[in-house]
């Protein structure tokens, strides 16, 4: 997969957009309210999966979609999402919460 993804956060809301290499938007996901702090995104599994953190209604979660925009899973993150990293093989996610805890997600279990 040769996709490019971007995550924006502002007072008007949060927006994830995925584009082709030529700049054509493939799909987007919008949240109408802005997050209180920035998040990040990762394109994993050889460009086939997009994973991003979102704050909705005061609760944080990690969400994953396939490259065509089909939702794959949602994982709530208690304590607020500070940051996350995906393992080199794309099978696990390490999350650090705003309250200082570390959590791990096994992607093989989520599928």
């Amino acid at each position: 997969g040769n996709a490019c993804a971007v995550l924006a956060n502002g007072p008007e809301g949060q927006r994830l957009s995925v584009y082709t290499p030529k700049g054509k938007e493939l799909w987007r996901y919008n949240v109408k309210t802005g997050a209180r702090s920035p998040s990040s995104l990762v394109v994993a599994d050889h460009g086939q999966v997009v994973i991003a953190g979102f704050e909705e209604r005061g609760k944080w979660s990690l969400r994953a979609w396939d490259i065509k925009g089909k939702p794959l899973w949602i994982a709530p993150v208690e304590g607020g999402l500070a940051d996350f990293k995906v393992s080199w093989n794309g099978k696990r996610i390490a999350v650090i919460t705003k309250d200082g805890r570390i959590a791990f997600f096994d992607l093989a279990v989520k599928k």
Side-chain angles (χ1 to χ4, degrees), residues 16-36:
L16 166 66
S17 296
V18 178
Y19 297 90
T20 68
K22 293 187 178 191
K24 179 183 175 197
E25 186 175 64
L26 294 171
W27 59 272
R28 77 169 59 171
Y29 177 78
N30 292 309
V31 176
K32 292 182 180 179
T33 57
R36 289 174 285 181

Side-chain angles (χ1 to χ4, degrees), residues 52-86:
F54 285 94
E55 182 183 15
E56 294 182 75
R57 296 179 205 94
K59 297 188 184 259
W60 281 92
S61 64
L62 286 176
R63 295 174 176 260
W65 297 263
D66 72 12
I67 201 63
K68 295 179 181 178
K70 176 184 168 192
L72 298 175
W73 52 261
I74 299 172
V77 178
E78 299 297 323
L81 179 65
D83 198 9
F84 72 96
K85 301 294 181 200
V86 178

